[in-house]
Amino acid sequence: MPSLGVLLPVLLSSIWFLRRFVYSTEKKHESRDWKLPPVVELSETDIYQHPQEAYQAAIEKYGPVVGVVRKNQLEYIIDHTLTAQVLTNDAMFSFEHATLRMLNLSVLLSLPRSFAKELDTIVQEDITANMDNIIETLVPIFQRHAQSLKLSRSKSDPIAVDLESVVHLMMAESMLTLIFGKRHATPENIHAVENVAADIATLTGIFQNMGYFSRNFPSLWRRFIWVKITILSIPYYFRIGSIAFRGLGAEESNESDSILDKCAKRYKAKNQGSVPFLDKIWIIVVLLGLIFASVHQTAIVIVWVLFELATRPQFLEAFRKEVQESTNSDGDLCLTYASLKKAEQLDSFIREVMRTKGDTLLTTRLTTKDVPLAGYIIPKGSFVAPLATLSHMNKEYHGDNAKEFVGGRWVGQGKPAVMVSNSYFPFGLGRWACPGRFLAVAEIKMAVLFLITHATPRLKDNAYRIRDPLNITSVAPEGDLYLESLKD
Ligand code: HEM
């Protein structure tokens, strides 16, 4: 009679084989049922000129998830019912993989540390947790740049201003000051930061929708852009890198409020008082990422809000009144983070601009495995993006007037511009929702308030042109903006 010692292993291995057999037949069986989502062919004109209508029509016809080839790449577009699932399940739909793949920087994923986590920590700990001081530092910068814009004294002969350039400069100086400290905010350094932000913006494909070559030969185009940036922008990276390198090597720092100094302190605490060479390189790369994340996007939204306000001057008085208490006897605005938070009407207007400006594919995830979604399988390594307008303009979420711009819609609703949900996600959603949104909204408010206390914004013919309908998030609208002086 065989002993238990012999029987037990035979029994266990039989169970193991049986399970493997059943599991693999089930899997084979299942896999025969697995379907890929329908792939819909959209013309170039549809995608680049009328993306909202074209993607929406495809979803209405074929269901909540459709594959569409754009720039030679198949991506999956989903409707509002799947948005929360895709944006918040980071284990299957990765923010970091998507972002780094888009930037051609997937190599960073093989490092034992996370680029996105490091950025997130810096923004949360050194910016968001410190907003009172940050706003105090930024107020004079915003005031000076707002005042640098030429006011039109005569209605019959107005002077158009280059708002986009001034706002970019203002944002570059602001972030340079916050990251490296006030003493580094020289014109040369500000220029370098502006260029770095523009380079990275170009790499993410911000202007890629607008050229024939970039749309049809995307891989070649990206390589070309990398080479161009490497050759032309080296001096800027070198300039910023060397400020950071020196700051991280300094024994003691005299700019203890700068983000660089705070990073240095954190790393020194872990490494017996010094920052190791590789950590210095790492911090520099992360800070370049921070420059990009903060400068360009905010500048674009400031332009959007001011253009929308120029076409709706009826809101100006209410916004001016909200900060009346913060005006000194000379008529100058003395803004603080507390007074900005109180500007609820302006906050509602900003939220409404961000909801209605028509963002389409504003945030993306990359599948980290074959993922089941709405009865289909999305293969590993696919880009998946919600069609934002389906949520932002949805009657189920926002009522019958969902498509209308209602500036005061959010007043008294407990939904400030920074609050994201699956019906409003211009700052993304889930684990990776923009950590800089508190600063961004405060900056937008400052820019608007410093301008409207001295002037009334107006647009020529009361109209603007959308330059890139597929990339409203990152490309500013175009129009002739005048700032009519409030003093005759
Ligand atoms: C109006 C201006 C801004 C807009 C519209 C915006 C929008 C976004 C969006 C859509 C994402 C991706 C979120 C997702 O996919 O779920 C994001 C991520 C991010 N944003 Fe912003 N952003 C703005 C300003 C800023 C500013 C001022 C900062 C820094 C101070 C910042 C820092 C970041 C960072 C670090 C991430 C990566 C996610 C993370 O590390 O948690 N953003 N932003």
Side-chain angles (χ1 to χ4, degrees):
M1 194 137 155
S3 73
L4 193 66
V6 176
L7 262 182
L8 199 64
V10 172
L11 197 70
L12 284 178
S13 22
S14 315
I15 294 173
W16 185 77
F17 271 116
L18 204 65
R19 276 202 57 207
R20 290 274 312 204
F21 176 73
V22 171
Y23 180 69
S24 67
T25 0
E26 254 175 22
K27 243 192 141 177
K28 265 188 218 144
H29 187 72
E30 243 177 56
S31 67
R32 251 182 267 134
D33 293 340
W34 285 3
K35 283 188 296 184
L36 293 172
V39 175
V40 181
E41 205 175 307
L42 298 181
S43 71
E44 274 230 335
T45 318
D46 279 343
I47 293 181
Y48 295 107
Q49 302 302 323
H50 320 286
Q52 183 186 330
E53 295 79 2
Y55 285 120
Q56 188 168 333
I59 284 175
E60 272 163 15
K61 188 162 177 198
Y62 296 99
V65 42
V66 293
V68 177
V69 175
R70 179 171 64 112
K71 293 179 205 156
N72 293 346
Q73 178 159 280
L74 178 63
E75 53 193 6
Y76 294 97
I77 314 300
I78 54 161
D79 80 355
H80 58 289
T81 59
L82 305 173
T83 295
Q85 191 181 340
V86 167
L87 293 186
T88 60
N89 186 343
D90 201 50
M92 291 186 184
F93 301 97
S94 165
F95 165 80
E96 196 166 15
H97 282 69
T99 311
L100 294 176
R101 168 87 85 85
M102 266 190 283
L103 282 167
N104 265 7
L105 286 175
S106 299
V107 63
L108 290 180
L109 291 168
S110 52
L111 298 179
R113 39 178 100 177
S114 157
F115 181 73
K117 269 193 203 140
E118 184 86 39
L119 252 179
D120 198 60
T121 309
I122 291 179
V123 179
Q124 308 240 24
E125 291 184 10
D126 303 339
I127 298 182
T128 309
N130 202 14
M131 284 298 287
D132 291 307
N133 294 337
I134 298 261
I135 296 303
E136 200 183 316
T137 309
L138 296 186
V139 157
I141 301 175
F142 273 63
Q143 193 163 24
R144 181 163 32 83
H145 284 283
Q147 284 169 1
S148 76
L149 284 160
K150 215 157 179 68
L151 302 187
S152 301
R153 305 260 169 216
S154 128
K155 281 191 183 158
S156 56
D157 189 18
I159 310 158
V161 292
D162 185 357
L163 181 69
E164 197 180 336
S165 303
V166 172
V167 166
H168 264 110
L169 198 67
M170 178 171 83
M171 289 307 308
E173 180 174 346
S174 300
M175 287 319 292
L176 182 76
T177 308
L178 294 183
I179 296 175
F180 299 113
K182 199 171 165 197
R183 73 195 166 103
H184 292 295
T186 62
E188 296 77 20
N189 292 345
I190 296 171
H191 184 61
V193 167
E194 259 191 303
N195 276 283
V196 166
D199 276 355
I200 310 179
T202 312
L203 272 178
T204 55
I206 277 173
F207 304 114
Q208 203 179 355
N209 293 340
M210 297 196 268
Y212 174 84
F213 177 66
S214 53
R215 288 202 308 231
N216 291 288
F217 304 96
S219 318
L220 211 60
W221 178 83
R222 266 203 298 274
R223 281 188 187 103
F224 168 74
I225 290 290
W226 263 113
V227 173
K228 189 174 143 202
I229 285 175
T230 314
I231 295 170
L232 296 182
S233 299
I234 282 285
Y236 303 125
Y237 292 93
F238 194 72
R239 181 175 273 277
I240 293 174
S242 70
I243 301 173
F245 215 80
R246 274 183 276 127
L248 292 168
E251 296 271 298
E252 269 309 317
S253 123
N254 46 12
E255 292 273 8
S256 58
D257 258 356
S258 75
I259 292 173
L260 181 72
D261 277 3
K262 286 180 179 154
C263 282
K265 271 186 202 143
R266 273 197 291 273
Y267 276 80
K268 281 178 186 170
K270 283 191 276 178
N271 298 287
Q272 291 85 42
S274 67
V275 185
F277 179 78
L278 286 179
D279 283 343
K280 284 184 186 160
I281 303 291
W282 173 249
I283 296 172
I284 292 172
V285 173
V286 173
L287 292 182
L288 289 174
L290 178 59
I291 288 174
F292 164 66
S294 55
V295 172
H296 182 78
Q297 289 268 66
T298 316
I300 299 304
V301 180
I302 290 175
V303 176
W304 266 104
V305 172
L306 276 159
F307 273 32
E308 291 291 356
L309 188 53
T311 63
R312 297 179 173 84
Q314 68 272 25
F315 289 95
L316 285 166
E317 267 327 294
F319 298 165
R320 287 176 185 137
K321 266 204 193 112
E322 276 189 311
V323 287
Q324 217 163 28
E325 280 174 20
S326 313
T327 312
N328 69 15
S329 52
D330 296 332
D332 288 330
L333 261 185
C334 309
L335 294 173
T336 59
Y337 187 44
S339 61
L340 290 173
K341 273 202 290 191
K342 269 200 245 156
E344 203 194 350
Q345 306 251 6
L346 177 54
D347 194 274
S348 168
F349 189 92
I350 293 171
R351 185 173 164 105
E352 195 65 349
V353 172
M354 298 191 80
R355 181 184 77 86
T356 57
K357 65 185 162 49
D359 292 323
T360 46
L361 312 180
L362 75 92
T363 175
T364 302
R365 301 289 186 262
L366 194 86
T367 46
T368 51
K369 49 183 97 160
D370 292 347
V371 179
L373 188 72
Y376 298 111
I377 285 295
I378 313 289
K380 180 180 174 180
S382 308
F383 282 107
V384 185
L387 180 59
T389 40
L390 284 179
S391 299
H392 289 177
M393 312 265 199
N394 197 314
K395 286 186 184 175
E396 269 174 53
Y397 300 144
H398 305 292
D400 283 346
N401 63 357
K403 290 198 173 146
E404 276 169 44
F405 185 101
V406 182
R409 184 188 291 271
W410 306 104
V411 177
Q413 300 299 308
K415 287 189 177 161
V418 291
M419 189 185 276
V420 292
S421 67
N422 63 347
S423 57
Y424 168 83
F425 51 90
F427 290 109
L429 191 63
R431 164 75 182 85
W432 300 107
C434 175
R437 61 194 190 274
F438 302 90
L439 174 61
V441 171
E443 288 175 328
I444 298 166
K445 286 182 177 173
M446 274 197 289
V448 171
L449 291 170
F450 279 125
L451 271 176
I452 67 169
T453 36
H454 295 290
T456 294
R458 296 219 188 272
L459 273 169
K460 186 179 175 195
D461 302 328
N462 209 29
Y464 59 76
R465 190 179 77 82
I466 291 175
R467 280 191 288 173
D468 183 354
L470 187 57
N471 204 350
I472 281 172
T473 314
S474 313
V475 181
E478 200 174 41
D480 286 340
L481 185 80
Y482 310 123
L483 298 171
E484 257 176 42
S485 172
L486 289 184
K487 288 186 199 139
D488 291 326

